[in-house]
Amino acid sequence: MLSLPFMAQIEPTSRCNLKCRMCVHAEPQAGHDLSYDDFRTIIDRIPTLLHLKLQGNGEPLLHNQFCDMAAYAHKQGIFTASCTNATLLTEEYAGKIVESGLNELGISIEYADSEKYEYIRCGSRFSTFTENVSRIIRARDAIRPDMIIVLYVTILQQTDADLKNIVSFAVSHTINTVYVQNLQQHLSFTEHYSEDVKGINNPSGFNATVKRFQEIGRQQGITVWSAKECNWPHSRIFITSKGIVTPCCVLYDPTEYTLGNILHDNLQDIWNNHRYNIFRPSQSAELCDGCNWYHENASS
């Protein structure tokens, strides 16, 4: 275990503008924004921070100071990433995001088929999504070509039939990398899903899909990869829009397991407190059961 975390995921907002069928926002959720001043306080209280993800259970671009947050972290020499549903990417906003110094932007997608996409992503239009992705690519190419743009694909049971379309979408938008994750199976997420949305319920089935995806990508010069293990409790920290620290992005709900509040408590005390230490050794079967990465760890 590190003396302090070098990676953090900080939630700018818990609000979202969509009601995707495979998300906690499929059901109405109360929203909250992290203030810019509190964000700066949090960054300043993690002196070991090298990698930041500006992402939580909301759409980060809804925060009216998202670019200020990215710029502040970037100026501290922190590699800063985020992930968006791309619905808010106007020409002006896309330019500001690139200019902020954000190092990496993930773009979420499950299907590159208009009908399937709009069914899953309630409130979004595929034509708008496609144009907005083109906008951020144009802004990146014109202003800061070294900015990384990645497709984030959540694998559903029906995704297999659309793998070629997703790779073609990446190619047509000059996106060279696709990150793949299984639909999260932890109860904190599944209790909100629509009944007709299913992931792949076993690691071997998911891994087989990833391999097919990788082969299709390889043929088109696209890198497809997936995280294989969880190292959250030993090197990372998740912080909600209210400053509350929880074990990870899956155990995001403070009512389930809270480790402290970084706006009020010393980080060293949080990182080394009793609740963190009893959680760490092999993680908690009770708390982590159902999580994709927990079962990947257990099966490896």
Side-chain angles (χ1 to χ4, degrees):
M1 184 189 79
L2 299 176
S3 57
L4 285 175
F6 75 91
M7 301 180 72
Q9 185 165 336
I10 300 176
E11 181 178 65
T13 180
S14 57
R15 296 182 294 125
C16 192
N17 60 328
L18 300 182
K19 296 187 181 298
C20 300
R21 295 177 185 272
M22 69 309 171
C23 180
V24 298
H25 289 281
E27 298 178 345
Q29 301 286 318
H32 183 270
D33 287 1
L34 178 68
S35 75
Y36 178 58
D37 287 343
D38 283 348
F39 171 79
R40 291 191 303 173
T41 296
I42 292 170
I43 294 296
D44 294 345
R45 290 185 177 182
I46 314 177
T48 50
L49 189 59
L50 299 176
H51 191 293
L52 168 68
K53 189 166 186 182
L54 272 172
Q55 175 73 36
N57 281 311
E59 167 51 45
L61 300 193
L62 280 172
H63 198 293
N64 62 8
Q65 289 189 280
F66 172 83
C67 292
D68 295 328
M69 291 178 172
Y72 185 79
H74 180 73
K75 288 175 182 176
Q76 313 306 311
I78 300 166
F79 184 95
T80 306
S82 189
C83 184
T84 177
N85 61 32
T87 57
L88 303 173
L89 286 171
T90 62
E91 294 281 358
E92 181 181 8
Y93 204 172
K96 288 181 177 179
I97 290 169
V98 177
E99 290 170 348
S100 73
L102 188 76
N103 297 94
E104 179 180 306
L105 182 64
I107 297 171
S108 295
I109 184 173
E110 289 71 46
Y111 298 108
D113 172 89
S114 177
E115 183 178 350
K116 293 177 181 177
Y117 171 91
E118 292 176 7
Y119 178 77
I120 286 291
R121 292 198 164 256
C122 302
S124 183
R125 301 286 294 177
F126 187 68
S127 58
T128 302
F129 170 80
T130 300
E131 175 55 29
N132 289 354
V133 174
S134 296
R135 283 178 174 144
I136 193 70
I137 295 295
R138 289 195 298 267
R140 186 273 311 270
D141 292 347
I143 301 169
R144 225 178 81 241
D146 62 340
M147 178 181 174
I148 303 165
I149 297 180
V150 181
L151 281 189
Y152 274 41
V153 179
T154 299
I155 298 292
L156 309 177
Q157 284 185 354
Q158 305 90 340
T159 305
D160 242 13
D162 210 45
L163 298 182
K164 289 183 179 179
N165 287 339
I166 294 171
V167 169
S168 295
F169 182 92
V171 171
S172 67
H173 288 82
T174 63
I175 297 173
N176 299 321
T177 304
V178 176
Y179 172 72
V180 181
Q181 61 183 2
N182 197 4
L183 181 68
Q184 182 53 250
Q185 301 298 309
H186 193 274
L187 180 61
S188 62
F189 285 77
T190 58
E191 63 183 350
H192 302 287
Y193 295 163
S194 297
E195 291 183 1
D196 58 344
V197 174
K198 305 292 182 183
I200 299 174
N201 294 327
N202 61 85
S204 60
F206 172 69
N207 291 336
T209 298
V210 172
K211 287 180 179 179
R212 286 193 293 275
F213 209 159
Q214 288 173 329
E215 181 55 33
I216 295 169
R218 193 175 298 114
Q219 294 169 8
Q220 298 290 325
I222 302 296
T223 299
V224 178
W225 71 282
S226 177
K228 290 295 183 183
E229 60 182 26
C230 175
N231 58 5
W232 269 98
H234 307 285
S235 60
R236 305 184 186 190
I237 190 169
F238 183 85
I239 302 167
T240 74
S241 58
K242 295 182 179 181
I244 298 171
V245 177
T246 70
C248 67
C249 61
V250 175
L251 293 168
Y252 65 89
D253 186 351
T255 63
E256 295 290 332
Y257 204 81
T258 300
L259 298 164
N261 190 312
I262 196 169
L263 295 173
H264 309 305
D265 307 322
N266 179 276
L267 176 60
Q268 190 86 43
D269 293 340
I270 295 173
W271 190 245
N272 294 296
N273 70 27
H274 179 66
R275 286 173 67 79
Y276 235 140
N277 287 331
I278 62 174
F279 177 81
R280 280 191 179 105
S282 59
Q283 289 148 269
S284 167
E286 180 181 358
L287 288 171
C288 300
D289 187 42
C291 175
N292 302 337
W293 293 290
Y294 175 73
H295 285 292
E296 281 283 356
N297 283 3
S299 64
S300 60

